[in-house]
Amino acid sequence: MKADTYIPRRLDDQWKIGFWDADVASPILFCFFVGYLSGSKLAFTVVMAAGISTSRWLSRIKADKHPAFAVHWLYWHLPTTPMTSMQATPPSHVRRMIG
């Protein structure tokens, strides 16, 4: 039987928005939304410039690190809420573990 079956090469790739990773594109999309809500062309331009610069800064930081570096950074630096807390790991404010 001759059938063309597609075998994916990479199962754990990062989410993409166009050509960009989702964590790099999200500051631009957020700033586009905030700039659109501002209702002013000057404010839209300023907010979009801030979003592009934040996105470039994030992509430079993430360049030689693990693909999920941004998610790890957010876990360790943002406060925990019931939605973001994990049951199997210690809270992010516990920096030293003995055991």
Side-chain angles (χ1 to χ4, degrees):
M1 201 150 113
K2 195 174 183 181
D4 291 334
T5 50
Y6 173 72
I7 300 172
R9 292 183 185 175
R10 299 174 300 270
L11 295 176
D12 296 330
D13 275 352
Q14 290 266 322
W15 289 6
K16 301 276 187 189
I17 298 175
F19 295 113
W20 302 283
D21 291 338
D23 54 354
V24 174
S26 59
I28 293 175
L29 293 175
F30 177 75
C31 288
F32 179 82
F33 180 70
V34 170
Y36 178 74
L37 289 178
S38 69
S40 158
K41 290 181 184 177
L42 177 65
F44 180 78
T45 307
V46 169
V47 171
M48 279 304 294
I52 290 170
S53 63
T54 303
S55 178
R56 288 183 52 91
W57 173 75
L58 184 60
S59 66
R60 285 182 184 165
I61 284 179
K62 205 182 120 157
D64 293 331
K65 293 182 177 58
H66 188 269
F69 170 75
V71 176
H72 296 166
W73 188 88
L74 289 172
Y75 172 75
W76 285 106
H77 290 90
L78 290 180
T80 56
T81 63
M83 288 179 51
T84 61
S85 65
M86 297 181 202
Q87 300 296 327
T89 58
S92 64
H93 67 276
V94 177
R95 299 296 170 129
R96 294 185 181 183
M97 292 188 288
I98 301 172

